[in-house]
């Protein structure tokens, strides 16, 4: 539930900024912010998948909860397993591997070798890198942005290649899967919560936009 709340907050943060600035420098800064938001969201989804896997690995407790799920809740759970390669000894599926890479190399860590890897990919793909440094504000104001660090980090997390269209198609495919994954996670968590209530002797009831939980 805590992971779900954090994911919703990031999504709401992303949705709050729909206006695309016209100034070239402002657009570049806006793109960097969006990239950071996506990296953070994907990292949270990877951590969420690990938490869900731990929760469902307790067969006895989860089997009891599973028996209270409705058909839609069970279908959402099976979809989550399919997306994230749960209970499989095979190599991780592309989405699972993608979330893992972004989580480790783009979301939560500031590791020198990851930035170095991104820089190496940029040099191999483009020969030289001249993104410079974007400086916004002054040191006295305590607000300076360094564009190149984000460029190297994005390359490590998402890849860098002269075939930008191919990279964008691959990234777009993963992001479509992420949106579907979030929808399935949302549905599964809600149905699992209501099922847990019933398992404990409570019955949820809905009234317009509100719901109550009453003891049966």
């Amino acid at each position: 539930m805590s992971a779900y709340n954090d994911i919703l907050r990031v999504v709401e943060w992303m949705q709050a900024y729909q206006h695309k600035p016209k100034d070239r420098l402002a657009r570049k800064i806006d793109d960097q912010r969006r990239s950071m938001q996506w990296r953070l969201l994907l990292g949270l989804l990877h951590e969420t998948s690990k938490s869900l896997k731990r929760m469902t690995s307790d067969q006895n407790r989860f089997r009891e909860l599973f028996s209270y799920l409705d058909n839609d809740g069970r279908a959402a759970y099976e979809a989550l397993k399919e997306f994230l390669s749960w209970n499989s000894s095979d190599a991780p599926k592309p989405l699972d591997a993608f979330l893992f890479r972004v989580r480790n190399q783009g979301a939560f860590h500031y590791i020198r070798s990851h930035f170095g890897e991104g820089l190496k990919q940029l040099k191999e793909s483009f020969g030289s890198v001249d993104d410079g440094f974007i400086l916004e504000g002054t040191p006295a104001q305590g607000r300076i942005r360094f564009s190149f660090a984000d460029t190297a980090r994005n390359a490590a997390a998402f890849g860098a290649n002269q075939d930008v269209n191919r990279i964008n198609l691959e990234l777009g495919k993963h992001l479509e899967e992420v949106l579907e994954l979030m929808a399935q996670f949302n549905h599964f968590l809600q149905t699992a919560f209501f099922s847990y209530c019933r398992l404990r002797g409570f019955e949820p009831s809905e009234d317009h936009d509100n719901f109550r939980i009453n003891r049966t």
Side-chain angles (χ1 to χ4, degrees):
M1 293 179 185
S2 180
Y4 175 77
N5 290 340
D6 287 343
I7 288 171
L8 278 185
R9 292 185 186 107
V10 174
V11 170
E12 289 168 353
W13 178 26
M14 296 172 75
Q15 293 173 341
Y17 290 87
Q18 297 296 330
H19 175 69
K20 193 74 172 177
K22 296 181 179 180
D23 178 76
R24 185 183 67 85
L25 178 59
R27 286 201 309 271
K28 197 159 194 175
I29 292 173
D30 185 68
D31 288 342
Q32 291 168 352
R33 176 185 55 76
R34 290 184 182 278
S35 175
M36 187 274 286
Q37 289 171 328
W38 272 112
R39 285 188 275 110
L40 180 58
L41 178 62
L42 296 172
L44 288 171
L45 280 171
H46 178 265
E47 294 302 297
T48 300
S49 74
K50 290 173 59 179
S51 178
L52 284 171
K53 188 173 183 179
R54 287 192 299 268
M55 181 187 78
T56 58
S57 64
D58 188 336
Q59 292 295 319
N60 292 329
R61 295 187 64 182
F62 184 69
R63 189 180 295 113
E64 189 177 18
L65 175 66
F66 189 81
S67 68
Y68 279 79
L69 292 176
D70 59 19
N71 290 335
D72 289 341
R74 295 184 183 189
Y77 171 69
E78 294 299 330
L80 290 173
K81 286 175 60 179
E82 178 67 21
F83 272 120
L84 299 169
S85 308
W86 289 351
N87 304 324
S88 172
S89 59
D90 299 331
K93 293 188 177 181
L95 179 60
D96 198 22
F98 173 68
L99 293 177
F100 178 78
R101 184 176 76 244
V102 175
R103 185 266 184 202
N104 284 317
Q105 297 181 222
F108 304 127
H109 301 302
Y110 302 95
I111 299 176
R112 181 185 179 90
S113 61
H114 292 169
F115 288 91
E117 180 180 335
L119 178 59
K120 180 181 178 182
Q121 290 189 49
L122 289 168
K123 286 184 175 180
E124 289 176 349
S125 297
F126 302 103
S128 62
V129 183
D130 185 22
D131 195 27
F133 292 90
I134 289 182
L135 302 181
E136 182 190 22
T138 67
Q141 294 174 324
R143 189 178 186 184
I144 297 180
R145 301 174 189 267
F146 300 98
S147 171
F148 185 71
D150 285 341
T151 302
R153 187 169 190 175
N154 287 336
F158 301 122
N161 193 295
Q162 286 183 320
D163 189 353
V164 177
N165 289 331
R166 183 183 66 79
I167 289 251
N168 287 339
L169 283 174
E170 181 182 353
L171 181 58
K173 178 178 180 296
H174 284 317
L175 295 184
E176 287 180 3
E177 292 177 324
V178 162
L179 294 176
E180 178 63 22
L181 175 67
M182 290 171 60
Q184 299 294 355
F185 172 50
N186 173 55
H187 189 76
F188 168 72
L189 183 62
Q190 292 189 49
T191 56
F193 173 70
F194 293 141
S195 298
Y196 182 80
C197 290
R198 295 187 179 101
L199 182 62
R200 295 297 181 183
F202 295 89
E203 182 60 35
S205 62
E206 189 171 352
D207 178 19
H208 299 294
D209 295 329
N210 301 309
F211 69 88
R212 296 182 176 85
I213 299 177
N214 306 305
R215 184 177 292 278
T216 57

